[in-house]
Amino acid sequence: MRVYNFSAGPSMLPLEVLEKAASEMTEYGASGQSVMEMSHRSKEYGAIIESAECLLRKVLSIPDNYKVLFLQGGASSQFAMIPLNLMTKNGKADYVITGQWAKKAYKEGCRYGQCRAVASSEDKTFSYIPELNSADFDKDADYFHICYNNTIYGTKYYKLPETGNVPLVADMSSSILSEEIDVSKFGMIYAGAQKNMGPAGLTVVIIREDLIGEPQAITPTMFTYQTHADNGSMFNTPPTYAIYILKLVLEWIENIGGIKVLEEKNKKKAALLYDFLDHSEMFHPTVMGASRSMMNVPFVTGNDELDKKFIAECTKNGFVNIKGHRSVGGMRASIYNAMPYEGVEALVNFMKKFEEENK
Ligand SMILES: *Cc1c(COP(=O)(O)O)cnc(C)c1O
């Protein structure tokens, strides 16, 4: 029996996608081979990667002057690739520190140039998105970096910083494909695939063409955006199977009516859970008000023993991976695209029952 998997990543994939992949596992179309066994330079595989890119462009309405790159190394490699490739004019960049990923990106950036933390929410365990005032931004920064959805702490931006001509770079690992976004507002968007796009091993970069240029002199060839842009993400072997699964996920999104439909579904799921948490006597959300993530919902009882008991009972009853990140404690329900409304409903009912029984 399949469980409701609330993992923050790698996370649930739509059952339809897994079933389709299973049906094509040993023979893709009339190719006589699994996608895993195909040459990445074959005609069959060429059609798969092209279709993945086309669908991503369509689903996210990516303008023509943006390149889509299929890379490896996780979102974490981007923490270095971004400064190496973009911090090349004035050698400085602004970062907003809204959690561990944002901080890691900032620290890595500091190795390659002058990075400045414009604002931080660390004073309250990253439970909010700090107020940002463009007067505080460096007009000469080569880019401005944000972590759009903070996977560990459960916050997200509802208003983008006004960076003027400074390109906005966003880590969207845990929110990409969950809502409509205006790509043209960003210089670059990047995401590890394992939260909302597919399996681990694929990293997607969407970058405005004019930002792809000469990197810093020390940059390895494989860490140069130009290398991958010039070669259609085929400078070396791309993560072929992960790209194929992304294609299936994008087809699934198209089939349910596109990103707007998905966004409405995600809003309903999040509202159901937050509404319960806001009224429960036992469970409390850790993020208040205006910066709540639609994808990652951390909550606590305020009693470590009770948290433990709840997590154990969840696991026994088919609600898995609900333990919070070690830095926040308590619980975290990640409710990405593939989590059905029924899964959140079942969780809320289970929480109600647990609360009743453990008063
Ligand atoms: C998971 C995650 C990362 C790290 O991704 P890797 O692919 O494991 O390197 C970075 N940023 C955010 C926002 C994440 O959710």
Side-chain angles (χ1 to χ4, degrees):
M1 195 194 84
R2 279 178 63 81
V3 292
Y4 286 123
N5 181 2
F6 293 90
S7 169
S11 45
M12 270 184 90
L13 284 166
L15 184 59
E16 294 90 328
V17 166
L18 296 176
E19 284 171 343
K20 174 100 176 152
S23 77
E24 295 178 333
M25 176 58 77
T26 55
E27 184 175 0
Y28 179 79
S31 70
Q33 29 180 336
S34 170
V35 174
M36 274 186 250
E37 303 170 302
M38 277 178 192
S39 162
H40 58 296
R41 313 249 178 232
S42 64
K43 199 166 96 252
E44 285 92 351
Y45 193 74
I48 291 173
I49 194 170
E50 198 183 300
S51 165
E53 178 174 342
C54 272
L55 283 165
L56 185 65
R57 286 185 175 278
K58 186 166 170 219
V59 162
L60 285 180
S61 308
I62 301 174
D64 288 343
N65 62 325
Y66 284 73
K67 286 273 190 221
V68 171
L69 308 178
F70 295 129
L71 309 180
Q72 305 191 51
S76 302
S77 290
Q78 294 309 309
F79 298 165
M81 271 180 97
I82 291 160
L84 283 167
N85 286 269
L86 304 187
M87 222 199 282
T88 50
K89 289 190 185 79
N90 297 320
K92 41 188 193 165
D94 279 348
Y95 282 74
V96 182
I97 315 296
T98 50
Q100 287 194 19
W101 297 119
K103 202 171 183 176
K104 281 188 175 148
Y106 166 71
K107 280 198 173 152
E108 189 71 7
C110 290
R111 301 182 62 198
Y112 303 106
Q114 209 182 315
C115 290
R116 199 172 61 111
V118 180
S120 166
S121 51
E122 192 160 16
D123 60 334
K124 288 186 182 151
T125 329
F126 298 117
S127 59
Y128 67 104
I129 299 286
E131 197 63 46
L132 295 173
N133 182 349
S134 52
D136 303 332
F137 304 170
D138 185 346
K139 303 273 177 299
D140 295 326
D142 287 332
Y143 60 88
F144 189 103
H145 183 278
I146 60 170
C147 183
Y148 187 78
N149 182 79
N150 295 278
T151 325
I152 296 173
Y153 302 95
T155 62
K156 99 184 248 299
Y157 284 79
Y158 283 87
K159 193 170 143 274
L160 293 177
E162 308 263 355
T163 62
N165 289 327
V166 175
L168 183 60
V169 174
D171 179 353
M172 286 203 187
S173 293
S174 50
S175 63
I176 195 158
L177 300 181
S178 70
E179 59 176 318
E180 280 188 324
I181 43 164
D182 182 352
V183 175
S184 73
K185 294 254 186 333
F186 299 87
M188 177 182 150
I189 291 167
Y190 65 102
Q194 69 273 21
K195 276 80 184 229
N196 237 351
M197 303 185 110
L202 166 66
T203 310
V204 173
V205 166
I206 300 165
I207 182 167
R208 216 173 63 211
E209 275 166 359
D210 62 285
L211 297 174
I212 304 175
E214 268 306 291
Q216 294 187 19
I218 56 161
T219 309
T221 308
M222 274 294 287
F223 261 41
T224 302
Y225 290 132
Q226 190 85 61
T227 302
H228 301 286
D230 286 350
N231 292 282
S233 301
M234 293 252 197
F235 173 74
N236 69 326
T237 317
T240 52
Y241 199 74
I243 294 168
Y244 158 73
I245 297 289
L246 169 61
K247 178 185 95 95
L248 297 185
V249 167
L250 292 165
E251 285 170 353
W252 174 79
I253 293 176
E254 284 266 281
N255 279 339
I256 62 175
I259 210 102
K260 192 73 207 165
V261 173
L262 208 42
E263 179 175 343
E264 290 312 313
K265 281 180 193 278
N266 287 331
K267 276 186 184 152
K268 281 205 187 99
K269 279 165 15 192
L272 178 67
L273 186 50
Y274 282 120
D275 185 60
F276 168 73
L277 292 171
D278 283 338
H279 294 97
S280 164
E281 302 267 317
M282 179 182 282
F283 298 101
H284 310 291
T286 60
V287 177
M288 286 302 167
S291 13
R292 285 176 168 176
S293 168
M294 284 206 296
M295 296 283 104
N296 312 97
V297 184
F299 55 95
V300 295
T301 64
N303 174 333
D304 289 350
E305 286 311 309
L306 200 56
D307 285 354
K308 255 192 215 140
K309 183 173 178 199
F310 175 69
I311 293 161
E313 292 204 9
C314 272
T315 310
K316 257 193 261 160
N317 286 276
F319 304 99
V320 306
N321 291 319
I322 204 145
K323 189 172 192 289
H325 190 271
R326 57 192 182 279
S327 66
V328 185
M331 284 68 69
R332 171 178 48 173
S334 293
I335 48 175
Y336 296 118
N337 286 347
M339 174 61 67
Y341 184 83
E342 296 74 48
V344 181
E345 208 173 29
L347 175 67
V348 166
N349 288 336
F350 184 75
M351 288 165 81
K352 281 181 187 158
K353 187 164 151 272
F354 183 89
E355 185 168 347
E356 200 53 45
E357 289 168 359
N358 291 275
K359 265 193 195 155

